Amino acid sequence: MEEPILQTIKTYYPSLSQGQKKVASYLIEHKEEGAIITASQLGRNVGVSETTVIRLANVLGFRGYSHMQEAIRSNWLQSSQSSTMSGQVKEEDRFYQVAEQEKKVFAHMMDQLNPEEIREAAEVMMKADRVFIGGFGGSYAAGYWFYYALRQLRDRVSLFSAEGLLPEEMVDIDELSAVVIFSFPRYRKEGKELSDAARKAGASIIAFADKPLSPVGREADVTITTEERMETDYHSIAGAVSVSEMVIQTAADKYSEQVKARQQKIELMYAERGMFLE
């Protein structure tokens, strides 16, 4: 259930001025600060006048800034109390079970990360003539995110369909290609078929998997794991995206000039087409 102050801001947000929108967004993202700082301090942090801050409070239905701040403070305290009580929640509460599992996934991921593998994967995919990305079934979401992010960095990037492999999509794989495969339980056979085809064509293979000896992991030149040694069958798509984001950031940092030139062209096209609302 959303906090009342957030519901109020959402209701009035479309009618706010640009300055008021900045203040509203800042309050949502920095609730702790909003609960204690003055209107003038808030205005300085956001880059607007104190008057704009006070007018926002009025537009949202409060008699003044102090009344809006009291509502923020009340919501923040309620949220803090809820977080404190989370350790006392019954074991069968599924929300907290998922949260605990995610914490375990990230803890394991940080323990097992090999920076050299991250750097090698970034190098391989940036030097390749073409990059082909595959993720099938439940692994497709992570594959699509990686495809979208990598296209911000370089050209000639392809994504296979979530449902399977087509000869027309595979025919261009060769020894100059890099094939990136996301493969997590339950392992789809298409992942193994793609790695076999890539190996036959002489392409470099990068695998994102739950363990090095998974069907695709053991065939890859570089295998990056997110859940190795986990004691349950739980699979986190967040862990897969996070570790792939590390590869993307490593590539962006190392090839910064090349990436910057491409992103400038992309941003220009975004602006010309008016693609984004804000």
Side-chain angles (χ1 to χ4, degrees):
M1 184 176 179
E2 288 186 345
E3 300 168 353
I5 188 67
L6 177 56
Q7 291 176 329
T8 301
I9 289 175
K10 279 187 173 181
T11 299
Y12 287 95
Y13 193 83
S15 63
L16 300 179
S17 68
Q18 287 302 313
Q20 291 167 351
K21 286 180 178 179
K22 289 181 179 179
V23 178
S25 297
Y26 189 91
L27 287 173
I28 291 173
E29 295 170 6
H30 304 84
K31 286 185 292 186
E32 294 86 347
E33 286 187 34
I36 57 176
I37 62 177
T38 65
S40 60
Q41 288 174 322
L42 177 56
R44 286 197 297 271
N45 290 350
V46 178
V48 300
S49 67
E50 180 180 355
T51 302
T52 299
V53 176
I54 296 172
R55 284 176 178 167
L56 171 65
N58 296 145
V59 171
L60 296 181
F62 298 100
R63 283 180 289 171
Y65 176 74
S66 62
H67 291 89
M68 180 176 72
Q69 191 176 50
E70 182 60 35
I72 294 171
R73 188 180 295 118
S74 176
N75 288 172
W76 177 47
L77 288 174
Q78 290 175 5
S79 299
S80 298
Q81 289 171 354
S82 297
S83 297
T84 301
M85 293 174 62
S86 66
Q88 304 169 10
V89 176
K90 294 180 181 179
E91 186 177 352
E92 61 267 27
D93 189 317
R94 296 300 295 171
F95 294 116
Y96 290 97
Q97 287 181 355
V98 171
E100 286 301 315
Q101 290 286 7
E102 291 289 349
K103 286 168 62 178
K104 291 179 182 177
V105 168
F106 281 99
H108 279 279
M109 182 175 69
M110 295 308 297
D111 287 340
Q112 72 196 36
L113 278 178
N114 184 334
E116 186 55 40
E117 290 177 342
I118 299 289
R119 287 191 287 268
E120 184 178 357
E123 187 82 10
V124 168
M125 72 181 190
M126 291 301 287
K127 285 186 173 181
D129 180 56
R130 291 188 62 172
V131 179
F132 297 84
I133 301 170
F136 307 98
S139 301
Y140 180 78
Y144 179 83
W145 182 92
F146 193 76
Y147 162 76
Y148 180 85
L150 186 56
R151 289 192 69 184
Q152 306 296 309
L153 309 189
R154 57 155 297 160
D155 60 1
R156 295 172 67 81
V157 180
S158 303
L159 176 70
F160 291 104
S161 166
E163 298 305 319
L165 296 167
L166 295 175
E168 295 85 352
E169 295 177 313
M170 300 172 64
V171 68
D172 293 322
I173 298 175
D174 60 24
E175 68 277 3
L176 300 179
S177 304
V179 177
V180 181
I181 307 173
F182 290 80
S183 181
F184 298 92
R186 301 176 65 185
Y187 307 115
R188 287 282 293 262
K189 66 177 183 179
E190 291 89 345
K192 183 62 166 60
E193 291 173 354
L194 179 56
S195 68
D196 289 344
R199 178 64 63 211
K200 183 177 181 180
S204 299
I205 305 172
I206 300 169
F208 289 90
D210 61 315
K211 53 189 177 183
L213 296 181
S214 65
V216 171
R218 58 178 175 257
E219 300 292 330
D221 298 298
V222 182
T223 300
I224 300 174
T225 60
T226 66
E227 297 173 51
E228 182 186 358
R229 297 188 298 276
M230 281 288 287
E231 297 176 356
T232 71
D233 292 330
Y234 180 82
H235 166 58
S236 168
I237 190 66
V241 172
S242 292
V243 74
S244 60
E245 186 173 6
M246 295 176 192
V247 176
I248 290 292
Q249 189 58 57
T250 299
D253 291 343
K254 183 165 185 177
Y255 293 85
S256 57
E257 291 302 318
Q258 171 185 331
V259 169
K260 183 178 179 181
R262 178 174 175 81
Q263 289 182 334
Q264 287 175 340
K265 292 180 180 178
I266 293 173
E267 288 296 332
L268 180 61
M269 295 188 71
Y270 285 160
E272 289 175 347
R273 298 179 62 183
M275 290 183 64
F276 299 104
L277 297 176
E278 296 181 357

